[in-house]
Amino acid sequence: MYWVWIQGPTYFSGDDLAFHLSRIEGIAESIVGGEFLPRINYFFAGGMGYPTGIFYPELFLYPAAIFRVLGFSIVSSYQLYLILLNFGTFLVSYYCFKSVHRTSMGAFLFSVLYGVSSYRMSDVLYRGAIGECVAFLLLPLVYVGIHQIIYGDKNKWWLLTVGMTGLLYSHPLSAFMVVLFLAVYVIVSLRAILTVRERLIRLFLATSVTVFLSLDILLPMLEQLLFQRLRVQDISLFYLSKEAHSLGEYLAIGFRNIGFNNIGLLIPIALLIGLIYIKWQTRENKRLLGIATLFFFLATSYFPHVLFNQTIFNTIQFPWRYFLIVSFLVSWVLAENVAKTTILSIKHKKIVGLVLIGITLGFNIQNQHQLKNVEWRTHPAETWNAIDRETSLGYGKEFLPNGMDGWMAPTSLLTQPQEGVILKDMSRNGNSFYLKYQTPTEARLIYPLLYYKGYAVEVNGEKKTAEDAGMFEGTDMHGFLQVTVKGSGSVLVWYEGTWIQKISRTVTIISWIVFIGYYVLRQTRKGVLVKKTLKIYE
């Protein structure tokens, strides 16, 4: 399925691959240092730290990091992670479809059409967008959850909670897009929700529990954004209106079968056929095809994206990201139509299914043949195993302090004044930085650390406030951590975290314990009820 990243000696370089490999390296280093779920990843920025643990949750990268800790190279760790991620996507897709439609053949067909869909493979390979790849794994859970709440077993509301919470812990941007999908789905299903009051209550319950389970992500992110201006708040590198393409351009990309926004040809053709024969579709499939059409339209240049350039919607950056939702919905409807059609015999259904699977795999193989020939995009394992700490912040460097286009990398601690300040016994242990100082006048110690809320400082055992470094010899040093000292003594700097971070993590852990306890208790009671029923029957 992705032999360009399994088979050596060279490997394809996805757009975001260096960024995600750096995240994995940083997590592995933190685990070795005894710190789990860190807010600051010190592999980035030459060791100056980057808040990926706040803005880009790293929970779903831990399998890869654990492989790294066990001694695998970063390349081997990533390969094993891709295999697990892919297998997980197939499993979740299969069982989600089967739980709704009770057909193994349809579930198998859906898992392949969806799991090997052109846009998903573009995410895995061309873009190296691991966050969105995890979103592909979780989206079926979200859909089955909302479907069960409104049209099925409302007591399975927890599926929606698990899916949405997972999205927030893997890729908040995808979670935002899926919220838009859920909003549309709820609107077109409003009559069914309002008819049965219990379904509305379950929807509210699923939403509320999701918020509590995700506080460890939501509150620290909001706190940091309110504390200081970051590049993501003031600099938009991408605008929806500039990144959108016409339908013809998307089809041309699909025909060439290569690119970062490649939705392929099968999904658009299947969507078109579904719309042509829409009056023969079930009510649910009509809803899904209508929503798929809407999100395909949102991905095109025909939608007036320019009206939303300065709104929260522009955080999506690329309108073709909606292909995540389109690929899921169309794959689901296509698999259901093939599995449940009464026109074909079982034998012919299997033939049609195998043909569709063959087409999907064929497109995948042909795509990778093209990727393998893009020489400037392929690098040997040695290149990735020696990944650069300095240049892997990602294209946008969104979470740097605003006004910091790059940085004047202070590879060692800077002082002002430079004369007369004596520093000794400097050491670093994980996220802790220690030194002894001696200065006759007040001096500024500017650390090679990017400054974010949550850093703690102790001067001679007494807590002081960490500061944002300002001017240094006429140069704007904005964005670095600074401590002001005088006389002699010792300084200890470390990332302690904020009260909001600590409280939100505590509440989240308690919420997870209660949630899992509820599920286990419910399943236990359900099992007892089944046994009693069987005993009565006997």
Side-chain angles (χ1 to χ4, degrees):
M1 279 196 53
Y2 29 61
W3 53 269
V4 293
W5 242 100
I6 301 299
Q7 179 193 29
T10 59
Y11 303 92
F12 186 80
S13 172
D15 294 335
D16 297 335
L17 184 58
F19 174 68
H20 294 303
L21 292 181
S22 297
R23 293 171 69 202
I24 294 169
E25 287 279 44
I27 297 169
E29 289 182 356
S30 295
I31 293 174
V32 171
E35 185 180 10
F36 299 91
L37 296 176
R39 303 288 185 181
I40 305 295
N41 190 319
Y42 287 101
F43 184 84
F44 286 100
M48 292 190 290
Y50 199 52
T52 52
I54 297 175
F55 293 102
Y56 208 135
E58 298 176 325
L59 181 64
F60 281 88
L61 284 180
Y62 269 71
I66 291 172
F67 287 134
R68 190 77 179 96
V69 171
L70 291 176
F72 292 93
S73 68
I74 187 62
V75 167
S76 297
S77 299
Y78 187 68
Q79 289 170 332
L80 292 170
Y81 179 69
L82 283 184
I83 292 170
L84 283 178
L85 179 60
N86 192 58
F87 186 58
T89 303
F90 273 101
L91 282 180
V92 171
S93 302
Y94 179 88
Y95 285 107
C96 282
F97 189 95
K98 191 174 181 180
S99 71
V100 175
H101 293 299
R102 308 295 179 186
T103 163
S104 298
M105 186 186 77
F108 180 76
L109 178 58
F110 167 69
S111 66
V112 176
L113 294 179
Y114 177 63
V116 197
S117 59
S118 293
Y119 182 65
R120 179 176 180 271
M121 298 313 300
S122 293
D123 268 351
V124 175
L125 298 172
Y126 199 99
R127 297 184 60 216
I130 290 301
E132 286 188 38
C133 294
V134 177
F136 266 94
L137 182 151
L138 295 165
L139 183 54
L141 279 174
V142 173
Y143 167 69
V144 172
I146 190 67
H147 176 77
Q148 292 286 13
I149 289 174
I150 300 176
Y151 298 106
D153 183 357
K154 59 184 179 296
N155 291 319
K156 292 184 177 179
W157 58 269
W158 55 270
L159 287 169
L160 177 58
T161 293
V162 171
M164 282 306 304
T165 304
L167 282 172
L168 286 167
Y169 275 89
S170 59
H171 195 229
L173 194 54
S174 290
F176 176 60
M177 292 192 298
V178 173
V179 166
L180 297 180
F181 159 69
L182 290 174
V184 176
Y185 190 86
V186 168
I187 290 172
V188 299
S189 306
L190 205 54
R191 179 180 296 180
I193 297 175
L194 297 178
T195 302
V196 183
R197 182 167 169 263
E198 289 78 7
R199 298 193 183 278
L200 182 61
I201 293 174
R202 295 303 189 282
L203 180 59
F204 176 78
L205 180 62
T207 304
S208 301
V209 175
T210 298
V211 171
F212 275 97
L213 296 179
S214 307
L215 282 179
D216 192 41
I217 299 299
L218 300 174
L219 291 184
M221 188 185 302
L222 178 62
E223 177 192 33
Q224 204 69 227
L225 289 172
L226 293 175
F227 172 71
Q228 68 187 111
R229 300 298 295 183
L230 303 177
R231 283 169 59 92
V232 69
Q233 295 168 279
D234 292 327
I235 300 175
S236 294
L237 297 176
F238 305 101
Y239 288 96
L240 293 171
S241 56
K242 295 181 179 180
E243 302 301 326
H245 296 291
S246 67
L247 175 61
E249 288 174 314
Y250 284 133
L251 292 177
I253 293 168
F255 180 78
R256 293 194 299 271
N257 197 29
I258 189 171
F260 50 82
N261 54 358
N262 175 26
I263 195 173
L265 293 178
L266 180 61
I267 296 297
I269 291 173
L271 177 58
L272 177 62
I273 294 174
L275 293 175
I276 292 174
Y277 295 99
I278 194 162
K279 70 177 182 178
W280 286 283
Q281 299 285 345
T282 64
R283 287 186 178 181
E284 178 65 3
N285 283 351
K286 287 178 181 178
R287 281 188 286 268
L288 299 186
L289 287 172
I291 297 173
T293 303
L294 171 63
F295 278 92
F296 204 129
F297 174 64
L298 290 176
T300 67
S301 56
Y302 309 128
F303 183 80
H305 292 289
V306 67
L307 300 177
F308 301 91
N309 277 349
Q310 305 303 323
T311 69
I312 189 174
F313 294 97
N314 196 63
T315 58
I316 295 172
Q317 297 179 324
F318 311 113
W320 37 263
R321 277 180 163 150
Y322 290 127
F323 287 159
L324 161 69
I325 296 168
V326 176
S327 298
F328 167 75
L329 295 176
V330 175
S331 298
W332 185 282
V333 173
L334 179 57
E336 194 267 348
N337 278 330
V338 173
K340 291 200 169 183
T341 180
T342 57
I343 300 175
L344 301 175
S345 65
I346 295 178
K347 178 181 178 180
H348 288 131
K349 288 180 184 179
K350 290 180 178 180
I351 292 174
V352 172
L354 287 173
V355 169
L356 290 173
I357 290 173
I359 292 172
T360 303
L361 294 176
F363 276 132
N364 174 253
I365 293 171
Q366 190 265 346
N367 169 259
Q368 292 191 71
H369 272 294
Q370 295 188 82
L371 295 180
K372 197 69 174 179
N373 293 326
V374 184
E375 293 184 2
W376 66 274
R377 280 270 199 167
T378 56
H379 305 289
E382 293 76 16
T383 300
W384 295 117
N385 287 331
I387 191 167
D388 188 1
R389 287 176 175 263
E390 299 283 348
T391 59
S392 54
L393 283 178
Y395 183 77
K397 302 179 177 63
E398 293 97 331
F399 311 128
L400 286 177
N402 190 32
M404 182 181 282
D405 295 325
W407 53 75
M408 301 183 316
T411 54
S412 61
L413 188 143
L414 305 176
T415 67
Q416 189 177 21
Q418 292 179 294
E419 302 295 331
V421 180
I422 300 174
L423 303 175
K424 59 182 180 179
D425 296 339
M426 297 176 65
S427 63
R428 174 175 181 173
N429 181 19
N431 76 338
S432 298
F433 306 82
Y434 177 83
L435 61 82
K436 292 181 179 179
Y437 68 90
Q438 184 176 335
T439 172
T441 60
E442 186 173 89
R444 301 164 57 204
L445 308 181
I446 300 175
Y447 282 75
L449 294 171
L450 299 178
Y451 179 52
Y452 300 100
K453 188 172 186 178
Y455 273 103
V457 176
E458 278 188 3
V459 178
N460 295 325
E462 182 180 344
K463 273 205 168 184
K464 291 189 63 176
T465 303
E467 304 166 346
D468 180 357
M471 302 296 290
F472 180 81
E473 293 188 340
T475 304
D476 187 1
M477 289 289 288
H478 168 68
F480 291 99
L481 184 145
Q482 170 185 293
V483 180
T484 303
V485 296
K486 184 178 180 180
S488 63
S490 63
V491 179
L492 177 64
V493 175
W494 76 100
Y495 194 82
E496 181 183 45
T498 68
W499 282 108
I500 287 180
Q501 290 177 6
K502 294 173 183 177
I503 292 172
S504 63
R505 179 157 291 179
T506 301
V507 173
T508 295
I509 292 172
I510 294 173
S511 299
W512 271 106
I513 292 172
V514 173
F515 179 69
I516 294 172
Y518 161 82
Y519 176 78
V520 171
L521 181 62
R522 179 173 178 79
Q523 291 301 106
T524 302
R525 287 180 175 177
K526 188 176 179 181
V528 171
L529 181 61
V530 170
K531 288 179 181 178
K532 286 182 178 179
T533 303
L534 290 174
K535 189 173 182 180
I536 293 171
Y537 177 76
E538 290 173 355

